[in-house]
Amino acid sequence: MEEPQPGTNVFNLCPMRGRCSANGVERETRSGVVDGESMSYGGSSVVSRGVGSHAMSGYDTLDAPPNYAFYSNTEVAGRRRFRPSLFQLHSNQEDDGCPPPLYEEPGAGEGPGASTETPEDEEKAAIPPTEPTRFGWVQGVTIRCMLNIWGVILYLRLPWITAQAGIGLTWVIILLSSCITGVTGLSVSAIATNGKVKGGGTYFLISRSLGPELGGSIGLIFAFANAVAVAMHTVGFAETVQELMQEHGSGIVDPTNDIRIIGVITVTCLLAISMAGMEWESKAQVLFFMVIMVSFASYFVGTVMPATPEKQAKGFYSYRADIFAENFVPSWPGSKENFFGMFSIFFPSATGILAGANISGDLKDPAVAIPKGTLFAIFWTTISYLLITATIGSCVVRDASGYINDTLSGPDDGDCLGMGCHYGWNFTECISNKTCAYGISNFYQSMSVVSAVGPLITAGIFGATLSSALACLVSAPKVFQCLCKDNLYPLIDFFGKGYGKNDEPYRAYLLAYIIAVCFILIAELNAIAPIISNFFLCSYALINFSCFHASITNSPGWRPSFRYFNKWASLLCAVVSVVIMFLLTWWAALIAIGVVILLLGYVMYKRPLVNWGSSVQAGSYNMALSHCVGLNQVDDHIKNYRPQCLVLTGPPAARPALVDFVGTFTKNLSLMMCGNVVTESPPSPNAVDSACNGTHTAWLNQRRIKSFYHGVVADDLRSGVQMLLQGAGLGRMRPNILMMGFKKNWRKHSASCMDSYIGILHDAFDLHYGVCVLRMKDGLDMSWQVQAHITSRLLGWLQFFGLVVSGLEASVCPPQVRTVFQTKQEKKTIDVYWLSDDGGLTLLIPYLLTRKKRWAKCKVRVFVRGDIENMEERKNEVMSLISKFRLGFHEVQVLPDIDERPQPEHVKRFEDLIAPYRVNPTAKSEDSDPINKGEDSGAGLKDYPWEVSSEEMERHKAKSHRQIKLNEVLRDNSRDAALIVVTLPVVKRGVCPSALYMAWLETLSRDLRPPVLLIRGNQQNVLTFYCQ
């Protein structure tokens, strides 16, 4: 095994636990290297820092009482409080004289370069920052949601929908929409009360519940839908203004372009209000709310007032039972109009329930304001919609001409059509010609006809449309800003920058403005409304599914303070939302779902480095746990055998070639677990951190290696490996193969180190593991290169800023070093020397390699032992056996000369290799001091199991010559192979000295250019030619 390159400075940047070290002095943490190439990594230390006061209570304990600051992520005057660590509570006070840190100052360091604060700086830090504007549940949620729900559809389309679908079906449409929004409101309330809610509204709720994959996709769509909704409400306002201009005989260009011009001017003014700040926007919303209340009062008063002839000509006759009966049933004017068409036009009016949640970052207490305000708004707006539908359907007929002279000529006019005939009006001509200008089927502003003061309805339309447009114009940038800050998608972080005390997203405002202007140019309200219906329904479906999924996973972290929800109702509402999407406009539903899947796939591919404790993680845990337990109910079968590897890598980045090789044949097939042993006694926090460091898993994920990582702290390397061999895995998901690197420079280390390495092999066999040893010509250990990379990149700026070198390596992911196993193998061979039958593992691993794309072009050659007299018979016998295994190997070669005597120079080389460990029988029987005995020169044979006597050399002479000869055969036949696989020789414990066994492995695999894999199964079948 190779040593780190001379002259290379190796730094270990272990994480700091607090202001003082674990015991007040430097501790050395050594990471045991699995293949023995380097038995330790550089020393590490934790630097002590003084603390002004001890946190001792009257009982002389470091324990701290429960405190809010221990659970909060916020800082007080630039400092954050932490509870004492378990190590600080458990360590000996005599060894650890420092009290635990009560605060941690970000960026603070030690030494000359540490941060120094003047009294003026401390006073500035003590001054609390200016509080941004915050709103309560009424102004922040209820009014905002009600204004967004009372939008353009209420004034301009609800009477028309009532005429088409009838009062009965319109009530069904309203109640169905309210049920969807109501259950969604309950789900939103549950999610919003399951923790502290920040800015980002709907996106924040879904992403923190279902994870970034679904949250990111629906957040982007929801922000876009809100931007389009700005256009919808603005077009409704522009239509009203254009009709007023037309009534007075004025115009700009033509009706369509007038709507476009007015809409662009209006949305520009709304943009100015939005960018003025949330405080001004909220004041404008309150003003709009008062205007709408006045318009409602004028409307309801008008329904009970006697109808004037002018109003009767326009179809208003006050409350009439026969008008109610006539309007209660639907009257579809054509085949294109149907229930779901009316639903698609009405539903956007019910989508304002998230207006309050979308500004969650601007609420005083989102967990209280969102549930209370949202449900209150849903209830009262539903009542208002039902009342307006019933009243206008009881007062106004479907068709009227508006001409004061269209009265009945006599009482017996039998050709009169329409309900107006019952009240002395004859609208037959316009009904027959379909030219009626008034009535709820034709006149969108029928509510102004009913109102006691008509202009107040116009003012209400202005207030409703402008308030809804303003709310959507604020919601879209707020949601989009949070999405941008999470960096889930590229090229959008530019729009996430905030300005001012309220962190206003001015750039996102401009983007929403541009999108709104583009859709305003459509200038057709009925065309814009269905576009956003599917987007809002998709959002509602995911919100409800989030609530259901969080409830069904039974995660202990799902503890919403709002209890009035039902997970099955949420699931039903989610399904209904998806069904309605397809019933409304199937192609638009496919587009919406396709966009969600596309964005979902992108985030899943990129795997952003975020962890929000989502219900998807909880669900994955439940599924994994259930399947692992389920595996225990089924016995193992040879057909289902999988090589589950415990790979002794040390830190995985230290041996990337070993990781890549095993990852090649275990990916998407079987278990791979990287094991790391950190040697220290007793364990210190630094040793535990080094063993359990998250950067190891991060490095594996960056390398796209599907592997677990398991680190342990032990007194020595062998003890730690024994812990891994016996404790790694779960149920049936346990390793059955030990994979390790070859100890290349074993002669440069102490003999006890080499003996420990061989002892690991014996321990694996004792525990019925298969064993694989990988050797490469240039070695496997890259730890020195990793350390040098980190040092060269970080040491300069660390010292420049005066930061401590100790404590930062844990946060730095090691570099990705490219290895030969990451490249596509050429048309070479995989030479398998199947010298002993170990159950088939020697054949199975090469077969699994050839199933991978990188190794697919390699041809497998199998070499077996045989006599020169029956070579052909032996070849056919092995070929027949391999064909029954269905491995696809078609070339078998018999080696008749494997038991011949090796060349004398190679024998001499072997003897020179083992010479330092030789001892004569007399010296071995007596207490002597041979090589590497250490301090205790009085120990006997049992203390030096690596020593080889002449008698043992003679007893194992045949085996020694076989390894020498086999190496000659390997060099002759496999010098150009891509990989050499050889059966690993096995010796009985205590019979063969460890030095002799190590010399066999060295001799067998040395001077070979291709990688060499020594394999020995556990003598249990892993291949079968039976089907059951």
Side-chain angles (χ1 to χ4, degrees):
M1 287 168 32
E2 63 272 23
E3 301 268 357
Q5 295 296 324
T8 301
N9 294 325
V10 179
F11 293 86
N12 190 356
L13 312 177
C14 295
M16 295 192 61
R17 307 282 296 187
R19 291 183 179 272
C20 57
S21 65
N23 58 1
V25 296
E26 294 188 358
R27 287 182 179 268
E28 182 180 355
T29 303
R30 294 177 298 157
S31 179
V33 175
V34 184
D35 58 7
E37 294 184 8
S38 175
M39 289 304 293
S40 67
Y41 299 100
S44 65
S45 64
V46 178
V47 183
S48 300
R49 277 195 287 177
V51 178
S53 62
H54 290 248
M56 300 292 184
S57 68
Y59 295 97
D60 193 27
T61 178
L62 297 178
D63 267 333
N67 194 307
Y68 171 85
F70 295 157
Y71 299 89
S72 174
N73 292 332
T74 58
E75 298 176 355
V76 179
R79 298 181 296 176
R80 181 181 168 194
R81 297 192 65 182
F82 287 91
R83 69 177 60 85
S85 68
L86 181 61
F87 184 83
Q88 291 167 336
L89 295 176
H90 185 255
S91 61
N92 193 330
Q93 290 295 324
E94 295 180 359
D95 297 333
D96 188 2
C98 300
L102 297 182
Y103 294 93
E104 180 178 291
E105 299 179 10
E110 294 89 34
S115 175
T116 57
E117 294 185 356
T118 63
E120 292 78 6
D121 294 334
E122 294 180 355
E123 290 180 5
K124 291 179 181 179
I127 299 175
T130 305
E131 272 294 317
T133 305
R134 295 284 186 255
F135 306 107
W137 70 274
V138 175
Q139 186 178 1
V141 181
T142 303
I143 292 179
R144 188 176 298 275
C145 287
M146 293 177 76
L147 287 174
N148 212 11
I149 295 172
W150 286 331
V152 64
I153 303 297
L154 170 66
Y155 288 98
L156 298 183
R157 291 298 182 269
L158 185 59
W160 177 76
I161 293 173
T162 304
Q164 308 293 319
I167 297 173
L169 286 182
T170 303
W171 279 351
V172 173
I173 291 173
I174 294 171
L175 292 176
L176 179 59
S177 301
S178 297
C179 285
I180 295 175
T181 57
V183 175
T184 305
L186 296 176
S187 300
V188 168
S189 301
I191 298 173
T193 58
N194 189 52
K196 191 173 182 179
V197 178
K198 298 181 179 179
T202 305
Y203 161 71
F204 184 88
L205 297 178
I206 296 178
S207 62
R208 271 54 176 180
S209 179
L210 285 180
E213 295 84 5
L214 280 173
S217 57
I218 204 60
L220 203 59
I221 287 179
F222 189 77
F224 177 77
N226 272 278
V228 177
V230 175
M232 182 189 73
H233 295 296
T234 305
V235 168
F237 169 80
E239 280 187 5
T240 307
V241 175
Q242 189 273 332
E243 290 177 3
L244 287 175
M245 294 171 61
Q246 192 173 10
E247 288 179 4
H248 292 82
S250 62
I252 304 174
V253 183
D254 56 68
T256 301
N257 285 317
D258 287 355
I259 292 174
R260 292 169 177 162
I261 294 171
I262 296 170
V264 171
I265 295 174
T266 303
V267 77
T268 304
C269 296
L270 293 177
L271 176 66
I273 296 175
S274 301
M275 298 183 72
M278 287 297 298
E279 190 172 356
W280 284 96
E281 187 267 349
S282 181
K283 291 178 180 178
Q285 295 285 28
V286 173
L287 176 62
F288 292 143
F289 182 78
M290 299 304 298
V291 171
I292 292 176
M293 290 293 101
V294 173
S295 70
F296 280 175
S298 175
Y299 167 77
F300 285 112
V301 170
T303 59
V304 298
M305 292 177 63
T308 63
E310 290 79 6
K311 289 188 176 183
Q312 289 183 5
K314 295 179 180 180
F316 172 67
Y317 301 98
S318 193
Y319 289 106
R320 304 286 181 175
D322 51 353
I323 295 178
F324 178 83
E326 176 70 16
N327 290 338
F328 190 82
V329 296
S331 176
W332 308 113
S335 59
K336 294 183 179 180
E337 285 77 11
N338 53 51
F339 174 82
F340 290 105
M342 296 299 105
F343 183 87
S344 68
I345 294 175
F346 173 81
F347 186 76
S349 68
T351 57
I353 63 168
L354 299 176
N358 287 336
I359 62 163
S360 55
D362 297 298
L363 301 176
K364 292 180 181 177
D365 190 354
V368 174
I370 292 176
K372 197 173 180 180
T374 302
L375 298 177
F376 193 84
I378 292 174
F379 175 78
W380 285 113
T381 51
T382 302
I383 296 298
S384 66
Y385 275 120
L386 293 173
L387 289 177
I388 291 174
T389 300
T391 53
I392 202 163
S394 303
C395 300
V396 185
V397 297
R398 282 191 168 100
D399 298 294
S401 65
Y403 297 115
I404 196 70
N405 296 326
D406 284 347
T407 57
L408 285 174
S409 57
D412 298 326
D413 194 348
D415 296 331
C416 184
L417 299 177
M419 285 299 299
C421 302
H422 297 282
Y423 308 108
W425 294 86
N426 187 358
F427 304 129
T428 303
E429 182 180 357
C430 74
I431 292 175
S432 301
N433 299 329
K434 296 183 179 180
T435 58
C436 294
Y438 290 91
I440 56 176
S441 289
N442 309 291
F443 190 51
Y444 288 152
Q445 298 191 37
S446 296
M447 290 181 64
S448 63
V449 176
V450 179
S451 176
V453 182
L456 288 179
I457 296 299
T458 303
I461 294 173
F462 290 171
T465 54
L466 294 178
S467 64
S468 298
L470 186 59
C472 292
L473 188 57
V474 170
S475 298
K478 293 284 186 179
V479 173
F480 192 62
Q481 180 188 32
C482 183
L483 178 64
C484 294
K485 288 184 175 180
D486 286 337
N487 291 321
L488 299 183
Y489 299 103
L491 306 178
I492 64 173
D493 55 328
F494 172 80
F495 300 99
K497 182 175 176 58
Y499 298 86
K501 63 179 182 180
N502 276 18
D503 197 31
E504 297 291 345
Y506 291 149
R507 297 175 180 176
Y509 278 131
L510 293 175
L511 179 62
Y513 169 78
I514 294 173
I515 295 174
V517 168
C518 292
F519 280 87
I520 287 173
L521 297 179
I522 297 177
E524 179 57 45
L525 186 60
N526 290 356
I528 299 175
I531 294 176
I532 63 176
S533 293
N534 279 300
F535 287 147
F536 280 116
L537 279 168
C538 192
S539 302
Y540 290 174
L542 280 179
I543 289 175
N544 285 291
F545 182 75
S546 299
C547 182
F548 165 77
H549 195 265
S551 302
I552 203 70
T553 54
N554 293 322
S555 173
W558 175 248
R559 302 185 304 275
S561 56
F562 182 85
R563 300 287 183 179
Y564 304 102
F565 71 96
N566 183 274
K567 59 185 177 183
W568 301 112
S570 298
L571 177 62
L572 178 62
C573 188
V575 173
V576 169
S577 298
V578 175
V579 171
I580 292 176
M581 286 175 62
F582 284 93
L583 292 176
L584 294 181
T585 314
W586 65 268
W587 56 267
L590 289 177
I591 291 176
I593 294 177
V595 172
V596 170
I597 293 175
L598 182 65
L599 297 174
L600 170 67
Y602 175 82
V603 178
M604 292 181 67
Y605 173 77
K606 295 299 291 184
R607 295 183 179 274
L609 298 177
V610 295
N611 183 10
W612 297 325
S614 66
S615 62
V616 173
Q617 295 173 336
S620 300
Y621 175 85
N622 285 348
M623 290 178 61
L625 182 62
S626 176
H627 289 309
C628 283
V629 173
L631 286 175
N632 293 332
Q633 302 173 8
V634 182
D635 292 334
D636 289 331
H637 194 280
I638 301 174
K639 289 169 61 178
N640 294 326
Y641 174 85
R642 296 170 186 264
Q644 304 186 125
C645 299
L646 171 62
V647 190
L648 301 185
T649 59
R655 287 162 185 78
L658 186 61
V659 172
D660 291 337
F661 177 74
V662 181
T664 301
F665 65 84
T666 60
K667 185 176 183 180
N668 299 324
L669 175 76
S670 60
L671 173 71
M672 174 181 174
M673 181 177 295
C674 294
N676 180 22
V677 179
V678 177
T679 57
E680 180 166 279
S681 179
S684 69
N686 293 325
V688 175
D689 283 344
S690 180
C692 304
N693 200 333
T695 57
H696 301 315
T697 303
W699 183 88
L700 290 169
N701 293 336
Q702 288 182 9
R703 205 170 183 84
R704 300 185 183 277
I705 298 294
K706 295 187 176 182
S707 170
F708 294 97
Y709 169 81
H710 191 181
V712 297
V713 182
D715 294 343
D716 55 71
L717 176 62
R718 185 175 179 181
S719 299
V721 175
Q722 289 174 345
M723 294 165 60
L724 290 172
L725 289 172
Q726 299 181 67
L730 179 66
R732 302 278 184 184
M733 301 292 292
R734 299 179 63 87
N736 51 28
I737 295 176
L738 177 66
M739 176 72 71
M740 53 197 303
F742 181 76
K743 190 175 179 61
K744 184 179 179 183
N745 53 0
W746 57 279
R747 287 173 295 171
K748 297 180 181 179
H749 288 170
S750 65
S752 59
C753 178
M754 176 267 298
D755 182 68
S756 176
Y757 177 83
I758 298 299
I760 292 174
L761 298 178
H762 289 302
D763 294 338
F765 289 133
D766 289 342
L767 295 171
H768 300 286
Y769 273 72
V771 174
C772 298
V773 180
L774 179 65
R775 180 174 186 178
M776 299 186 67
K777 182 178 180 181
D778 297 327
L780 294 170
D781 189 5
M782 304 291 291
S783 58
W784 64 270
Q785 184 173 343
V786 172
Q787 295 284 3
H789 174 87
I790 295 177
T791 302
S792 62
R793 293 289 300 272
L794 296 180
L795 187 58
W797 65 264
L798 286 174
Q799 293 177 344
F800 176 78
F801 286 105
L803 298 177
V804 188
V805 175
S806 170
L808 288 174
E809 185 183 85
S811 62
V812 178
C813 194
Q816 298 292 341
V817 180
R818 191 162 184 83
T819 68
V820 65
F821 298 115
Q822 289 181 306
T823 59
K824 192 172 183 179
Q825 303 297 320
E826 302 175 1
K827 291 185 178 180
K828 296 183 179 181
T829 61
I830 299 177
D831 291 348
V832 180
Y833 290 82
W834 195 20
L835 306 179
S836 301
D837 194 334
D838 59 352
L841 185 64
T842 307
L843 296 179
L844 180 61
I845 289 183
Y847 166 72
L848 295 177
L849 284 173
T850 57
R851 291 175 57 182
K852 302 301 180 179
K853 189 175 181 180
R854 294 173 185 165
W855 295 81
K857 294 184 178 180
C858 293
K859 181 178 68 173
V860 178
R861 299 190 301 177
V862 180
F863 297 84
V864 295
R865 298 169 59 181
D867 299 329
I868 194 170
E869 295 82 7
N870 55 0
M871 288 180 57
E872 195 66 26
E873 180 182 349
R874 177 62 174 162
K875 177 180 179 180
N876 294 334
E877 177 185 348
V878 175
M879 194 69 209
S880 174
L881 177 62
I882 293 177
S883 64
K884 291 181 180 180
F885 289 145
R886 307 173 306 282
L887 297 174
F889 302 163
H890 303 293
E891 183 173 347
V892 175
Q893 297 185 21
V894 180
L895 302 174
D897 56 347
I898 196 171
D899 291 322
E900 296 180 359
R901 291 183 61 84
Q903 298 181 16
E905 61 268 24
H906 294 156
V907 175
K908 178 65 169 58
R909 186 178 179 184
F910 173 79
E911 292 176 351
D912 293 341
L913 180 68
I914 199 67
Y917 304 94
R918 293 283 302 275
V919 61
N920 58 60
T922 305
K924 191 167 184 178
S925 60
E926 299 175 357
D927 293 339
S928 58
D929 186 19
I931 185 173
N932 292 321
K933 285 185 179 180
E935 298 178 0
D936 186 5
S937 60
L941 173 62
K942 63 179 180 180
D943 295 320
Y944 308 110
W946 54 82
E947 293 182 340
V948 184
S949 66
S950 300
E951 180 183 1
E952 289 168 331
M953 284 289 295
E954 187 64 28
R955 185 192 311 148
H956 298 291
K957 182 177 180 180
K959 290 184 179 180
S960 300
H961 286 185
R962 185 181 300 122
Q963 310 310 320
I964 300 171
K965 182 61 180 179
L966 183 56
N967 179 257
E968 296 175 356
V969 173
L970 295 179
R971 285 187 288 173
D972 291 340
N973 296 312
S974 303
R975 63 170 58 93
D976 295 324
L979 176 68
I980 301 174
V981 180
V982 189
T983 300
L984 175 71
V986 177
V987 295
K988 293 183 178 181
R989 180 192 291 273
V991 175
C992 178
S994 57
L996 181 59
Y997 187 36
M998 192 71 216
W1000 288 352
L1001 302 183
E1002 169 72 25
T1003 301
L1004 176 61
S1005 59
R1006 72 179 174 186
D1007 297 335
L1008 295 171
R1009 186 196 61 79
V1012 180
L1013 181 65
L1014 307 176
I1015 298 182
R1016 170 66 69 162
N1018 63 355
Q1019 304 303 114
Q1020 300 293 322
N1021 287 348
V1022 300
L1023 296 174
T1024 181
F1025 41 76
Y1026 295 107
C1027 62
Q1028 64 179 12

